[in-house]
Amino acid sequence: LARVRVGSRVVQYQQHLEHQALVDSLTGLFNRGAFERKMEEEFERAQRNHHPLSVLLFDVDKFKMVDDTYGHHWGDEVLKKIADLLKSKTRRSDYPARFGGEEFVLILPETDLENALSVEAKVHAEIKAATLGTKARSFSITVSAGVSSTCNKQYSNWQELLEDADQALYLAKSRGKDRAEAFMPEEQRKAASANHS
């Protein structure tokens, strides 16, 4: 019995270590390594079943200013707050992760571009409404986001899908921050702008 108990403790400890290796210690979200594994898995499943898959990439606006103005403690609190909102405001099948620094990523299985943008709008509003700091010195934050989806482009691998979300995020940043942009292939963008003019 003692040997069984020791054996089970060893197994539990190994599982704990494996879990720790996948989790970002500050936010409790999955880390980049875990995200990449999950992304590959979901991309292959989406391709196999011909189901949509979307990706949201978030970046905290003016994060350095938060750190410089309020201190690193509040910089950490911002990251934890966003992580909590990503966990509480998304479906159980969605997969939020900390991508690195002040960037977060959300994998949305079975989700087309339109619905991905709805998810982004909901999370965006929650983040913007959150108040941080102290009563005497409170502040709020905004994020910029890039969205890409297998619905509006054929992808040969998940890295391309992520790169397009990153391009859309860059566009959101360059267009003034605190907004989301969806990646569109060049021909779709031209058609959309032609329709508007």
Side-chain angles (χ1 to χ4, degrees), residues 64-101:
K64 190 179 180 306
M65 202 173 81
V66 172
D67 261 356
D68 292 346
T69 309
Y70 300 95
H72 291 294
H73 164 73
W74 283 109
D76 287 351
E77 290 302 313
V78 163
L79 300 177
K80 286 194 248 183
K81 184 69 178 174
I82 291 174
D84 290 345
L85 289 171
L86 284 176
K87 281 184 272 195
S88 64
K89 300 297 173 188
T90 53
R91 303 170 303 180
R92 287 184 67 172
S93 57
D94 299 335
Y95 195 89
R98 186 176 178 194
F99 194 61

Side-chain angles (χ1 to χ4, degrees), residues 5-126:
R5 272 202 296 272
V6 168
S8 107
R9 274 206 299 272
V10 168
V11 168
Q12 280 176 346
Y13 185 61
Q14 281 174 330
Q15 287 171 339
H16 170 73
L17 287 179
E18 282 166 19
H19 179 72
Q20 290 302 100
L22 301 175
V23 171
D24 173 61
S25 57
L26 177 68
T27 61
L29 291 180
F30 289 103
N31 61 25
R32 188 164 178 164
F35 155 74
E36 287 179 354
R37 280 209 285 277
K38 183 67 174 174
M39 185 71 189
E40 185 170 17
E41 193 184 293
E42 289 298 340
F43 183 81
E44 283 171 8
R45 187 174 23 192
Q47 297 292 85
R48 195 168 54 244
N49 299 327
H50 306 288
H51 288 171
L53 174 69
S54 296
V55 179
L56 281 182
L57 201 53
F58 288 95
D59 185 85
V60 183
D61 296 326
K62 300 175 183 166
F63 185 70
K64 190 179 180 306
M65 202 173 81
V66 172
D67 261 356
D68 292 346
T69 309
Y70 300 95
H72 291 294
H73 164 73
W74 283 109
D76 287 351
E77 290 302 313
V78 163
L79 300 177
K80 286 194 248 183
K81 184 69 178 174
I82 291 174
D84 290 345
L85 289 171
L86 284 176
K87 281 184 272 195
S88 64
K89 300 297 173 188
T90 53
R91 303 170 303 180
R92 287 184 67 172
S93 57
D94 299 335
Y95 195 89
R98 186 176 178 194
F99 194 61
E102 62 271 21
E103 276 193 322
F104 295 84
V105 66
L106 185 59
I107 303 172
L108 299 168
E110 312 278 337
T111 307
D112 61 18
L113 185 64
E114 193 179 335
N115 284 309
L117 286 166
S118 297
V119 171
E120 193 286 328
K122 185 171 81 169
V123 173
H124 201 119
E126 291 284 346

